[in-house]
Each structure stands twice: as structure tokens, then as C-alpha cells.
Amino acid sequence: MEIEALAKPAGILCRHNTGTACGIYLERPEACARWHCLWRKIGALPDELRPDRSGVVFSLESRPPIAEAPDEACIVGRAVDGVHAFDRWEVAEAFAMFVREGSLPVWKASDRDATMLNRGPKTPARRHRGRAVPRRSPNLPG
Ligand code: SF4
């Protein structure tokens, strides 16, 4: 995601990423410290959905992952290590759970494309699918 405090654009690996951790963890910008994936935020999600185990990061985002879709908050499940992660049963069940819950649009995204799985209550009738754009800073309360 974009980190303004580091002048880091979205879609560019942070210069402080060591490959295994944050090289400035104790002094990292507030935007980094405040951001948590939904596995961290929702205590009921099982250990199998931890992003490094499932291969998918679920997050609450302020904009959809494709430019053509209307700006609105949404849940995005991003494959971080290949789209095969979407085939895992626990990942499929997590998408189904967020869709059933229904308060926000749910997107399935990879580094190449993104598909809206459901419409949230405010989303226009058209479904969306398209080329994914890099994440920008979430601006929703943590
Ligand atoms: S936590 Fe922030 S500062 Fe650290 S590597 Fe990630 S983006 Fe960079």
C-alpha cells in the first residue's frame, strides 16, 4: 500500500522490507503500525487463515481493487503467493462467510486481476471484474 510518511507509492516494495520483517519495526510509520489484516482483527478466524499459512490476506479497504469500480469500503482477499491459494477450503469458506455477512462488497484479488463476489448494500447492480490496481493506504478506522 501507499505509505505517505515514507514517500512509498502503492505497489512498490518498501525499502525497509528485509525479506523476512520490517527493518525499522520499532520506528515504523503510524500507517504501518495501525494496519491489521482481518485475521488479526477477527478473533474467530482460525489459525489456518493466517496469511502466511493460507496464502491470502483478507483486509478491510477503503477502495475496491480495480479502478473501474465505484469507490467504497470493501473486504478484499488477496492472494499473496499465487492464485492456487484460493482453492484451499479454509479460504473458500472465509470468502463465503464474508459474502453471507453481506454488509460490504467482497473482492477476490491477485496481482493481475480482481473479481467482486457480491454486491454490498450500496453497490450498484453491475458486478465488476477487472485488472487489479495496487493497494493504497486504508483510511478506515483501525
Ligand atoms: S511495516 Fe511499513 S516501514 Fe516496515 S517494511 Fe512494511 S511498509 Fe515498510
Side-chain angles (χ1 to χ4, degrees), residues 99-119:
V99 167
R100 275 196 307 273
E101 195 277 328
S103 59
L104 292 172
V106 178
W107 288 82
K108 183 185 276 192
S110 70
D111 57 353
R112 290 197 309 270
D113 60 15
T115 303
M116 188 169 69
L117 301 182
N118 71 323
R119 292 186 289 113

Side-chain angles (χ1 to χ4, degrees), residues 37-117:
C37 72
L38 289 176
W39 181 80
R40 283 281 307 274
K41 288 184 175 184
I42 304 174
L45 294 182
D47 283 352
E48 291 81 7
L49 279 179
R50 206 174 90 171
D52 60 337
R53 296 180 185 162
S54 69
V56 175
V57 179
F58 286 94
S59 59
L60 180 61
E61 302 194 8
S62 56
R63 302 178 186 95
I66 67 171
E68 301 79 29
D71 265 5
E72 62 182 343
C74 56
I75 291 170
V76 181
R78 285 180 189 275
V80 292
D81 198 21
V83 293
H84 60 277
F86 291 140
D87 298 334
R88 295 176 195 259
W89 70 267
E90 63 271 25
V91 170
E93 181 51 36
F95 276 114
M97 179 193 74
F98 288 125
V99 167
R100 275 196 307 273
E101 195 277 328
S103 59
L104 292 172
V106 178
W107 288 82
K108 183 185 276 192
S110 70
D111 57 353
R112 290 197 309 270
D113 60 15
T115 303
M116 188 169 69
L117 301 182

Side-chain angles (χ1 to χ4, degrees), residues 3 6 8 14 16-17 22 24 28-29 32:
I3 307 289
L6 298 175
K8 187 190 91 56
C14 178
H16 298 297
N17 184 319
C22 173
I24 57 165
R28 67 197 187 286
C32 305

